[in-house]
Amino acid sequence: MSADTTQDRISLHPHTHRVRVWNGDTLLADSTRAIELREKGYPPRQYLPESDVQMAQLLRSTTVTHCPFKGDATYYRTDDHPDVAWQYTEPLADMAAIAGRLAFDDSVVTVQVDAE
């Protein structure tokens, strides 16, 4: 059995669909420059450019995690939700396209991807 590689496990899909992220009635992000990351065993995640995220609505969390396929992630929280978003500031080489982008936990906030 061969080792799982990044290429076998994760695929990136840039698109121009409008993606909005809501925390209740508060708009946290609005982008047409998302990259959808699809990883085996996980739901697809929309990685949005930091410039399309209302960073003033987020606070840096103390949480840091490591993924052997993506690298080290830092997390952000809101006043009412811990670790609502994460970012790979310096991802591993194969995942360079997600550097400086944030993904959101869609079990906590609403991530809306328009069909067109």
Side-chain angles (χ1 to χ4, degrees), residues 90-111:
E90 297 179 18
L92 299 176
D94 287 346
M95 294 288 108
I98 65 169
R101 294 171 172 268
L102 282 83
F104 290 84
D105 182 348
D106 61 6
S107 70
V108 177
V109 294
T110 303
V111 178

